[in-house]
Amino acid sequence: MAVKTASLVEANSEDYVTYLLSVFREETWLHDALRRWGAEERLHGEALAAWAHRVDPGFDFTERLARFREGYRLPLEATESVRGSRAGELLARCVVECGTSSYYSAIRDATEEPVLKQIAHLIAGDEFRHFKLFYDTLKKFDPQDSLGLFAKLKVTLSRVNETEDDELSFAFHCANNDPSIPYDREKSMLAYSKRAYRNYRYGHLARAISMMLKAVGLAPHGVIAQVTQRGAWWLWEKRARKLERIAA
């Protein structure tokens, strides 16, 4: 179920490319890289969907993706970043790539199915490269937008909190429920989170935290990193236990 959900989110990259090309319309030197990024994200979705169809021949990826795209839309009319600046937009993309790299690493290490393990391994590597793309680009924009540490932390925490927004919950609903079943955001989010949380180990979350700290300009290793990683893992385990109790 989690793999089907991921296939829809990854394959919806076309809208993200449209949005980013609008936000960075003057930075034509970045356009080809953004299009390549979007194409790779689309391939991730197709690879995950192919595996899901192999396990469940009744999974109609094209129909499910169309339903997801119809019900979940990005602000394609925007001409400025919803993060307040282009540097903020790039930082938010870094946060997303941190999360996806750790997510697919977690799936790779949790599954015993060899094909899914290989797919997740390759996607995790791509997502790490995508982090580097947005991080390197952020370094070019930072002198222009001069985001301070507080502003960077605000963007980072805001984007982390958005992991429980409608994108994932609605994708889970579309990927796993019959069209006749009404969308229940809370129920879908709980069902998705329960499956996602159980795959993680401390190292997966710790690596994501280190990458985020690097993106905001803090040392990815050391005392701050260790305290943040341990605190995040404590909250993660608490949330995972709560999800299991609710499911029971």
Side-chain angles (χ1 to χ4, degrees), residues 157-222:
L157 292 174
S158 173
R159 190 60 187 88
V160 168
N161 288 333
E162 287 174 19
T163 56
E164 295 198 0
D165 67 5
D166 267 329
E167 183 176 25
L168 283 173
S169 58
F170 189 62
F172 181 90
H173 170 74
C174 292
N176 297 287
N177 292 327
D178 186 87
S180 62
I181 299 176
Y183 172 48
D184 186 321
R185 182 185 183 279
E186 182 177 358
K187 184 177 180 180
S188 295
M189 193 69 244
L190 287 173
Y192 171 78
S193 298
K194 180 186 70 173
R195 289 163 175 80
Y197 271 65
R198 66 172 57 152
N199 293 324
Y200 277 77
R201 301 295 179 265
Y202 178 79
H204 303 131
L205 190 61
R207 187 185 185 198
I209 294 293
S210 290
M211 292 168 69
M212 289 183 198
L213 289 174
K214 180 178 180 179
V216 300
L218 295 173
H221 308 289

Side-chain angles (χ1 to χ4, degrees), residues 99-113:
T100 52
S101 180
S102 67
Y103 177 69
Y104 290 111
S105 296
I107 291 179
R108 176 198 64 204
D109 296 340
T111 185
E112 296 298 327
E113 206 289 313

Side-chain angles (χ1 to χ4, degrees), residues 21-89:
L21 287 177
S22 179
V23 171
F24 295 97
R25 59 192 175 279
E26 296 178 1
E27 288 70 37
T28 55
W29 52 269
L30 184 57
H31 291 184
D32 285 346
L34 291 175
R35 292 190 180 98
R36 284 195 300 272
W37 165 78
E40 289 181 0
E41 295 290 302
R42 172 76 190 198
L43 286 175
H44 294 168
E46 292 172 352
L48 293 167
W51 183 87
H53 182 73
R54 174 185 172 187
V55 175
D56 176 11
F59 177 60
D60 188 338
F61 173 64
T62 302
E63 183 274 328
R64 304 279 175 150
L65 178 61
R67 184 148 54 100
F68 173 59
R69 288 175 58 84
E70 181 180 355
Y72 180 82
R73 305 295 294 178
L74 292 172
L76 300 182
E77 71 285 352
T79 57
E80 302 294 335
S81 171
V82 297
R83 308 295 167 184
S85 70
R86 291 171 298 172
E89 185 65 50

Side-chain angles (χ1 to χ4, degrees), residues 94-144:
C94 287
V95 173
V96 172
E97 304 302 339
C98 292
T100 52
S101 180
S102 67
Y103 177 69
Y104 290 111
S105 296
I107 291 179
R108 176 198 64 204
D109 296 340
T111 185
E112 296 298 327
E113 206 289 313
V115 176
L116 179 58
K117 184 180 286 289
Q118 180 67 5
I119 291 173
H121 175 70
L122 293 173
I123 294 178
D126 279 350
E127 303 293 14
F128 183 78
R129 289 191 300 100
H130 293 165
F131 167 81
K132 189 175 186 304
L133 164 67
F134 290 114
Y135 176 77
D136 289 345
T137 308
L138 173 61
K139 296 296 100 180
K140 297 179 181 179
F141 274 87
D142 196 44
Q144 300 177 35

